[in-house]
Each structure stands twice: as structure tokens, then as C-alpha cells.
Amino acid sequence: MLSIKDLHVYYGGIKALQGINLDVKEGEVVALIGANGAGKTTTLRSIFRLTPIVKGDIYFYEINLTKLPSYKIASLGIAHVPEGRRVFPNMTVKENLEMGAYLVKDKKVIEKNLEFVYNLFPRLKERQKQLAGTLSGGEQQMLAIGRALMSNARLLLLDEPSMGLAPLLVQEIFSVLKKINEEKITLLLVEQNANMAFSIAHRVYVMETGKIVLSGPTEEIANNEAVKKAYLGG
Amino acid sequence: MRRNLLTLTILILILFLSVLSKNLDPYIYQILVFFGINSILAVSLNLINGFTGQFSIGHAGFMAAGGYFSAALSVYQGEKLLNILSFLPKDLAQGAIFLVFLILGGLFSAILGLIIGIPTLRLKGDYLAIATLGFGEIIRVAILNLDVVGGPRGFPGIPKLTDITWVTFWAFIAVVVIYRIINSSHGRAIISIREDETASESMGINTTYYKVLAFSIGAFFAGIAGGLFAHYLMMLHPSSFTFMRSVEILLMIVLGGLGSITGSIFGAFILTVLPEALRGFAHLRLIIYSLTLIIMMLVRPSGLIGNREISFYRIFKFLRRKGIN
């Protein structure tokens, strides 16, 4: 479905990514883990062309994303849940969700998607008239995920959905992510919370300073001694 | 229904003003004309600064471009066209020509806005402000060196065609057009850029397109305002379009409320009337004026109205609630 080939991204003189190769197959949950500054977020942002790509290609099926402007990428069925949530603070919850369906012209489909999101996150329905800026961090994360789902996306890119949230909320979010995957939506997940990521991922990539150092099925990675030491607390 | 009511009220107001203006004190009349022109400027700048969230301070430049363009058309082509249209009643022909010249002036400004907008709208915040400021000054300096329009001597001999009816008409058009844009799906896209540009791009919104669009529409109405201004004063001078003029327009929208159309009009009203009302204080005038601004910003930093709108509907609702209690 998605394949990244030999991707290099430089910020000025800093080589953020040095030849990333990554594949996501339809229906999978793929987790990308690594320490701060390893290049996880950069990889995700590159898919949406939000970074200066020096070399390499990103394919979504047969389409080369590096040749497209950012706003066109959403129309292919890829949705991005950005780091730090980035909801539209002065719009209501419902308006935020409607913005997510900006490219969907059919009103019935929008209704249906809205129903789907409200079922996943009943809390959003309760607060649909509230300004998004006044929501709690967890609710904003739900809103950001809901907004991404409104676009009929087949591939969801999630950037640190657990960031800054209470452990209980993190569990709630991840159980919803699992439900979303059961609806045949593919997930590419960037996480620092490796334990949570392993709980839903089929496959895992481990990044270190701009390179992928390890990849494989979740059980294999979770039992790797080095990974255990570095990410799972012994 | 609500919108029809508003349209009707405005039409009656235009009619009322055109009848009333015959007996109006010329001093009051002039203030009202400037209030109308300032409203157009404020509402159009609010589309760029308040709704799209792009900090532009080059509005005087667009006003100058449109004003000089339509004035030059009037001076050099007006007579000729009037002769061609001599089969029409003179007032009608004059009005039609004026309308076309104003629109051409506006379009000229809009094209300039497009040319300036495409490279500069990649910039953000302070950088964009400085770039637009620079372009506004370039337009002014270019006019200063254009001999066809009088250069530094000013551009006299513009026919007096603007009256309060024209100004009210254009203020009405500006408000309706911008109101309709803001409340459409394009408007949602424009506002989402202000809220979070990266996120709105992820939603599939072509942010560059919408920023340039808002910038050009804003420039169009600034050009119209410039044309009205030129044909009211009958004389243009580059010194009317300095950086201070841009700041004045910016003040109107910050004072009235960024992201509010009614707020812009309110701001335009206060900043047109306040300096006149303070004339009695002679040399203390500027001090009181500045102090008023400082106090207003301290008391209401989000502007008098904030980003809300005042509508008949809201007023009715408010009155009804008061009535019940």
C-alpha cells in the first residue's frame, strides 16, 4: 500500500533521515518506534511532503507522492493526525470534524462518517458544540483522530497519539485505534511509548539517528534483547 | 428571511441617504463619505488579516493603485467615452462609465495583489508584514515617479463623481461579498488556514490558492475604495497613501475585532469620527486619540466586538431574553 524507498531528508546541514526503507501493507498496523530525534516524525511528515526531501521516493500504490503538492495527498485517501493534535481551536468540535470531510462532497457520506466517529468517541458527540480549544488534551486527541477519519481515508498516519496523556486515556485511545483497524483502515503509528505500540502493531520498525536499525513482526522485536533494554525498561 | 430583511434595510438606507444628503451639512456629509470608504478598506483588510490570518500592512498601496488607475482612466478617457455614449441621458452615461472605471481600478489592484501575493504569502507573521509593507511603499514610490499621473505634484482634475450613494452602494457590495465568502465552504477553508495552516493542508486544502485568493479580493476592494476616494477629493497625492494610512486601516480592524465584519465597520466608524470629535481639544487632540486607543486595547484586547458578528437576529434574541426576565 505504502512504500518508502531510500528516503533522505536534510534540514540544512543536519541529516535527519539517511536512507529509510519502509513498507506498509493493506490492513496492517505498523509501528515506528525510536528515541527523541531519531527521525520518526520526519518520516511521517515526509509522506505528506511537509519536509525537504533530498532523495528517495514514496509510493502510495503506484502513485509517487514526492511529485505531488501536500494538499493533493489527502485526496488519495491518506489522513494525518499530526503531532500535538493541531485541532482548529476556534471552531466547534462538529466544525472541526466537518473540516476533516472537506474533500468529501456527498452529504450522506459525511453524515455516515460523523456517525462512525461519534460511535468511536461518544465524548465528542456530547461536546459537539464546544470550541475545540477548550477541550482537554485527551479529547483533542480524539478529535484529531476523528477529524482524520472523516475523510474516508484508507491509511491513517498517527504521530504520537499518546503524547502528554494520562495512562488511562492512552489505553482508551489505543483500544479505539484497534477498532479503527478492524474497519479495514491501515495504520502507520509513530510512538515513543513502545509498550502501547506493541499492543496493537502487527509489525514494528525501530529507528535510531535517521536510520532504521531493526524491523520485523511485533513478537520478534518485542523479544529482542537490545529493544527490551532500550525501550521496554529491561 | 433574515438576509432579505438586511438587504431591504440597506436599500432603504441608501435611498434615505441620497435624499437626505441634499440637505446635509457638508462637513457631516464628508465625514459620512470617509466613513463609508474606510468601511470598505477595513472590511477588505479583515478578510486578509482577520479571517485568513495573514498579517498584511500594505493596504494603502492597493488603495493607491486602484485610485490612481481609475482616476487616470477618468481623466484621459472619460470625455471620449462620454461622447460615444451621448445617445444616453448624461447622468446615466456618466454613472455607467464611473462604475466601469471603478471596477477596472479594483481589478488592477487585484492583479497587483496576485503578483505580490504569490511570492510573499509563503512568508509568515512578521516576515509577511514587512514584505507587504515594502510592496506598499514600492507602489507609492512608483507613482511618485510616474509623470502621467503628476508624480510628486499630485494628480488634479479628477471629475467629482463620488457621492454618498455610491459609497454606500460599494460598502454594501463589499460587506455582502465578503460575508458570503466567509460563510461558504471556501470561507471554512480560509478560516482553517488562520486556525492551523499545517493541519488545514493535511485536510486537503490548497492553502496557497486560498491565501492568494483572499489577498486578491482584499486588494480589489481596496482599489475600489481608492477610486471612490479619488473621485471624491478630485485630486490625488502620493502622500495620502503612506505607511501611516495602512496602519490606520489596520487599527480599525484591530480595534473593531479581527475576524468580525460588523467589528470592522464599527472600528472604521470610531476611527473616522473620533479625530473629528476631538477637534475641539486642539493640540491635545492627538494625545487624547492615542490614549483612547491604548485604553481600548487594555480593556478589550480582542477588539470591541471580538470575532463575533452583530445581526438583527442576535439583537432580537437579546431583547426577547431581556423581555422574558
Side-chain angles (χ1 to χ4, degrees), chain B residues 40-307:
Chain B
I40 301 172
L41 289 166
V43 170
S44 61
L45 186 67
N46 214 339
L47 177 67
I48 304 171
N49 286 27
F51 290 106
T52 322
Q54 306 301 308
F55 201 82
S56 161
I57 37 175
H59 227 49
F62 294 121
M63 184 187 175
Y68 267 93
F69 194 77
S70 61
L73 284 173
S74 275
V75 169
Y76 295 116
Q77 300 295 326
E79 288 290 315
K80 225 183 284 172
L81 271 175
L82 210 54
N83 285 335
I84 296 171
L85 291 176
S86 57
F87 57 89
L88 284 173
K90 185 150 188 279
D91 279 355
L92 188 67
Q94 188 71 270
I97 292 168
F98 185 39
L99 182 70
V100 171
F101 285 173
L102 275 180
I103 292 174
L104 287 175
L107 287 177
F108 179 70
S109 262
I111 292 166
L112 268 184
L114 196 73
I115 296 169
I116 292 168
I118 289 171
T120 54
L121 286 172
R122 288 166 204 283
L123 302 170
K124 290 196 168 82
D126 311 351
Y127 305 104
L128 178 66
I130 292 166
T132 51
L133 167 68
F135 274 108
E137 284 299 292
I138 287 174
I139 293 173
R140 190 178 65 86
V141 173
I143 292 169
L144 208 53
N145 289 292
L146 265 182
D147 221 34
V148 231
V149 288
R153 293 183 311 271
F155 189 30
I158 307 165
K160 181 155 188 156
L161 298 172
T162 303
D163 59 18
I164 204 154
T165 318
W166 276 103
V167 173
T168 320
F169 167 72
W170 275 107
F172 176 59
I173 297 281
V175 168
V176 168
V177 168
I178 290 169
Y179 178 84
R180 298 281 297 193
I181 293 173
I182 292 309
N183 288 292
S184 67
S185 72
H186 300 294
R188 286 260 152 259
I190 282 173
I191 292 171
S192 79
I193 295 173
R194 173 189 75 192
E195 296 285 292
D196 194 312
E197 200 176 326
T198 316
S200 84
E201 197 145 23
S202 307
M203 304 290 106
I205 291 160
N206 187 346
T207 52
T208 314
Y209 169 79
Y210 278 112
K211 283 196 282 184
V212 173
L213 182 76
F215 202 66
S216 301
I217 293 172
F220 174 81
F221 283 112
I224 298 279
L228 290 168
F229 183 73
H231 291 85
Y232 182 74
L233 287 183
M234 302 160 70
M235 154 99 189
L236 281 180
H237 194 275
S239 67
S240 307
F241 305 106
T242 56
F243 168 57
M244 277 320 290
R245 167 68 63 139
S246 294
V247 171
E248 203 181 286
I249 307 167
L250 186 69
L251 273 179
M252 291 173 197
I253 62 172
V254 173
L255 192 72
L258 283 168
S260 164
I261 294 174
T262 31
S264 319
I265 298 171
F266 216 55
F269 180 77
I270 290 176
L271 287 197
T272 315
V273 170
L274 193 61
E276 299 300 333
L278 292 175
R279 268 191 201 283
F281 296 94
H283 53 279
L284 281 177
R285 182 174 154 222
L286 282 176
I287 297 174
I288 298 175
Y289 178 74
S290 315
L291 273 178
T292 318
L293 290 180
I294 293 171
I295 291 168
M296 282 202 196
M297 281 297 100
L298 282 175
V299 180
R300 290 219 57 141
S302 60
L304 287 170
I305 298 189
N307 58 9

Side-chain angles (χ1 to χ4, degrees), chain A residues 7-230:
Chain A
L7 183 68
H8 291 253
V9 173
Y10 302 164
Y11 295 119
I14 300 157
K15 298 180 176 177
L17 296 184
Q18 306 169 41
I20 298 288
N21 288 292
L22 187 150
D23 280 290
V24 181
K25 295 191 197 73
E26 230 166 305
E28 270 189 322
V29 178
V30 174
L32 191 57
I33 65 166
N36 267 339
K40 307 182 301 287
T41 295
T42 304
T43 309
L44 213 58
R45 285 170 62 85
S46 299
I47 299 171
F48 252 91
R49 291 241 13 225
L50 297 168
T51 59
I53 296 173
V54 177
K55 204 178 117 190
D57 293 302
I58 301 170
Y59 287 96
F60 183 64
Y61 296 106
E62 267 79 58
I63 307 155
N64 191 342
L65 300 183
T66 57
K67 303 272 188 291
L68 291 177
S70 315
Y71 69 91
K72 284 250 170 84
I73 292 169
S75 66
L76 301 174
I78 306 178
H80 186 200
V81 182
E83 188 175 14
R85 311 182 269 268
R86 288 179 174 269
V87 294
F88 302 120
N90 291 313
M91 290 187 186
T92 65
V93 168
K94 190 157 183 229
E95 283 168 342
N96 263 275
L97 293 173
E98 283 164 354
M99 280 314 298
Y102 182 75
L103 294 170
V104 184
K105 295 291 168 229
D106 189 344
K107 285 242 164 68
K108 276 192 200 124
V109 179
I110 296 179
E111 262 328 293
K112 205 188 90 211
N113 290 356
L114 202 59
E115 204 52 43
F116 174 57
V117 171
Y118 282 158
N119 270 330
L120 286 174
F121 301 110
R123 194 107 54 108
L124 293 183
K125 189 168 189 178
E126 286 164 30
R127 313 212 159 206
Q128 53 178 318
K129 294 219 170 97
Q130 200 174 322
L131 289 186
T134 64
L135 295 177
S136 75
E139 288 160 348
Q140 287 190 15
Q141 187 64 61
M142 294 175 194
L143 182 56
I145 296 171
R147 186 178 62 182
L149 288 172
M150 290 295 291
S151 65
N152 284 338
R154 285 169 294 169
L155 174 63
L156 211 55
L157 312 175
L158 294 133
D159 201 344
E160 304 241 7
S162 74
M163 192 172 72
L165 300 186
L168 219 61
L169 270 173
V170 173
Q171 295 214 333
E172 195 181 328
I173 298 266
F174 272 79
S175 74
V176 172
L177 290 181
K178 203 163 184 172
K179 266 193 229 163
I180 293 170
N181 181 239
E182 281 159 12
E183 299 288 328
K184 310 251 178 312
I185 296 169
T186 312
L187 305 180
L188 174 57
L189 174 71
V190 158
E191 255 306 339
Q192 288 210 32
N193 187 338
N195 269 320
M196 277 326 290
F198 290 170
S199 73
I200 62 163
H202 301 117
R203 283 192 305 122
V204 177
Y205 287 84
V206 183
M207 282 188 84
E208 251 166 48
T209 55
K211 286 179 192 134
I212 285 177
V213 290
L214 207 63
S215 69
T218 308
E219 307 81 59
E220 192 185 309
I221 302 288
N223 289 321
N224 181 300
E225 284 306 318
V227 171
K228 266 190 188 166
K229 214 170 196 163

